[in-house]
């Protein structure tokens, strides 16, 4: 459908049709934003299970476990902050579309690292999952970086591919879009 609810074939003077390529490109870019929302909230619901798998259950006698878990969760923000600082320049150098594909690969790599963290067994002395915690932290940094890059580049990309009359509308769509489970 074009602007005003008419199809592209019914275009009238002053109405901008939305070509299929624009819809497909904007939708694909917004799926990257969906992954940002998903990884943002992914540590909330399964926290008890994840902490148990990593050997970081809450224990008042060992408060260091809570500190390590806090790092596992919060390094996401660090990755996002660092990526926000460099994403615009990298996207200019690589191209917006190529950079968005790179961000998707970072999401996949980060999620893979976090998922593989539970494959390593806890130590016999109960000290925790020695390899799982660093893998979780590295994975969270990567998905945080991908999320930060998404926040910077996707609105710019959508604004650049949109017709002039729709740039403001489509360019501001991604930030409120991310769902958090």
């Amino acid at each position: 459908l074009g602007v005003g609810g008419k199809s592209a074939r019914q275009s009238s003077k002053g109405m901008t049709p939305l070509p299929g390529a624009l819809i497909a490109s904007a939708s694909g870019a917004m799926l990257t934003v969906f992954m940002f929302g998903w990884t943002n909230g992914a540590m909330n619901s399964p926290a008890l299970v994840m902490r148990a798998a990593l050997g970081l259950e809450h224990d008042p006698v060992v408060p260091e476990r809570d500190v390590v878990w806090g790092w596992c969760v919060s390094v996401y923000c660090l990755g996002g902050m660092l990526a926000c600082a460099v994403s615009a320049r990298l996207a200019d150098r690589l191209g917006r579309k190529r950079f968005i594909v790179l961000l998707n690969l970072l999401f996949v790599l980060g999620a893979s690292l976090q998922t593989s963290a539970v494959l390593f067994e806890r130590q016999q002395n109960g000290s925790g999952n020695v390899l799982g915690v660093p893998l979780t932290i590295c994975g969270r940094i990567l998905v945080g970086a991908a999320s930060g890059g998404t926040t910077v580049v996707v609105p710019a990309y959508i604004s650049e591919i949109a017709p002039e009359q729709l740039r403001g509308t489509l360019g501001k769509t991604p930030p409120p879009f991310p769902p958090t489970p």
Side-chain angles (χ1 to χ4, degrees):
L1 290 178
V3 175
K6 297 180 182 178
S7 71
R9 292 182 202 152
Q10 298 172 336
S11 296
S12 62
K13 187 175 179 180
M15 188 178 88
T16 304
L18 290 177
L22 172 63
I23 293 169
S25 295
S27 298
M30 289 214 214
L31 286 176
T32 304
V33 177
F34 175 79
M35 288 191 293
F36 157 54
W38 181 260
T39 58
N40 189 19
M43 299 295 270
N44 296 333
S45 299
L48 293 176
V49 175
M50 293 171 69
R51 287 183 75 154
L54 295 173
L56 298 174
E57 298 96 341
H58 175 70
D59 185 353
V61 178
V62 188
E64 291 82 12
R65 291 180 182 178
D66 291 334
V67 172
V68 173
W69 177 251
W71 273 99
C72 289
V73 175
S74 63
V75 293
Y76 173 87
C77 297
L78 178 64
M81 181 182 65
L82 295 174
C84 282
V86 299
S87 290
R89 286 189 182 177
L90 286 174
D92 286 345
R93 204 173 282 160
L94 298 173
R96 307 263 188 266
K97 192 187 317 184
R98 187 178 293 161
F99 191 70
I100 290 172
V101 170
L102 177 67
L103 292 173
N104 283 311
L105 292 174
L106 278 178
F107 275 119
V108 170
L109 180 60
S112 298
L113 287 174
Q114 291 176 77
T115 302
S116 65
V118 299
L119 298 176
F120 300 95
E121 295 295 321
R122 292 176 66 169
Q123 300 300 311
Q124 294 297 330
N125 63 5
S127 64
N129 184 334
V130 177
L131 290 175
V133 171
L135 286 173
T136 300
I137 289 174
C138 289
R140 290 292 288 173
I141 290 171
L142 289 179
V143 296
S147 297
T150 297
T151 303
V152 171
V153 176
V154 170
Y157 173 72
I158 291 175
S159 292
E160 288 172 358
I161 64 170
E164 189 175 324
Q165 301 89 340
L166 297 174
R167 285 188 184 148
T169 302
L170 291 177
K172 71 177 188 172
T173 302
F177 184 75
T180 302

